[in-house]
């Protein structure tokens, strides 16, 4: 979707965000996992990455355009998942919490996701409800203990 590309572009603006993927990635071997999520930050290799998944949509007819065609508002339900390997000695919990808050801020300030013309029914325009962070915890990822977080986005598009 157009929303997916805009979300990925906003995610890629965050400093040291890690590897970003515009869909869920899966690996059944260590080499593939490393190729998808291994990064080097401050001369240290670790797992750090993000994926984007469309979980569903809601649609509503909101009127008629100048041509007489129906104007539809589509709300996308998107889940962005992030991981970062744990290193207790360097307090990576604080680093990950700061990172996920930076990602949230990037989504909330991305002008491509907030055109503000949505109420005027301009086709192709985006708006977005506030970004939610329902989960920040620890999980196993490829056998490695990682910080894990989810952001929920609901961009809206008029078509």
């Amino acid at each position: 979707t157009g929303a997916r590309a805009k979300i990925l572009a906003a995610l890629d603006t965050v400093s040291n965000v890690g590897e970003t993927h515009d869909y869920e990635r899966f690996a059944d071997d260590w080499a593939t996992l490393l190729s998808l999520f291994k990064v080097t930050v401050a001369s240290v290799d670790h797992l750090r990455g993000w994926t984007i998944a469309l979980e569903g949509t809601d649609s509503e007819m909101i009127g008629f355009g100048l041509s007489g065609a129906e104007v539809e508002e589509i709300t996308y339900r998107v889940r962005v998942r992030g991981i970062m390997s744990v290193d207790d000695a360097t307090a990576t919990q604080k680093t990950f919490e700061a990172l996920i808050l930076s990602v949230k801020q990037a989504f909330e300030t991305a002008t491509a996701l907030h055109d503000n013309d949505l109420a005027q029914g301009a086709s192709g325009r985006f708006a977005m409800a506030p970004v939610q962070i329902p989960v920040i915890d620890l999980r196993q990822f490829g056998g490695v203990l990682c910080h894990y977080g989810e952001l929920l986005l609901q961009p809206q598009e008029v078509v």
Side-chain angles (χ1 to χ4, degrees):
T1 67
R4 182 184 305 266
K6 293 175 189 311
I7 291 167
L8 182 64
L11 185 58
D12 284 336
T13 67
V14 178
S15 179
N16 291 321
V17 74
E19 297 293 333
T20 58
H21 304 280
D22 65 354
Y23 63 99
E24 293 287 343
R25 301 303 307 259
F26 299 94
D28 60 1
D29 63 81
W30 186 245
T32 302
L33 178 74
L34 290 177
S35 73
L36 295 172
F37 293 102
K38 184 182 114 179
V39 298
T40 303
V41 177
S43 300
V44 177
D45 291 342
H46 60 273
L47 299 178
R48 185 183 294 199
W50 300 83
T51 62
I52 300 168
L54 176 66
E55 294 191 333
T57 64
D58 297 308
S59 298
E60 178 181 354
M61 191 189 91
I62 60 173
F64 294 93
L66 295 176
S67 68
E70 291 182 356
V71 176
E72 179 182 19
E73 179 182 271
I74 301 172
T75 301
Y76 301 94
R77 292 186 310 278
V78 178
R79 187 172 308 265
V80 177
R81 294 177 174 94
I83 60 104
M84 187 176 92
S85 50
V86 171
D87 180 4
D88 184 64
T90 60
T92 54
Q93 176 184 351
K94 295 190 286 185
T95 303
F96 185 74
E97 290 169 356
L99 182 61
I100 200 168
L101 291 172
S102 294
V103 169
K104 180 181 188 293
Q105 182 179 17
F107 292 146
E108 291 175 341
T109 58
T111 55
L113 291 169
H114 303 279
D115 285 343
N116 295 326
D117 290 336
L118 189 67
Q120 298 173 10
S123 181
R125 297 298 186 162
F126 279 83
M128 192 164 64
V131 176
Q132 305 298 315
I133 303 176
V135 177
I136 299 176
D137 64 12
L138 297 172
R139 297 195 181 172
Q140 290 287 323
F141 188 77
V144 176
L145 185 61
C146 288
H147 301 285
Y148 172 85
E150 296 179 359
L151 298 99
L152 297 178
L153 291 75
Q154 293 188 316
Q156 298 170 321
E157 182 179 22
V158 171
V159 294

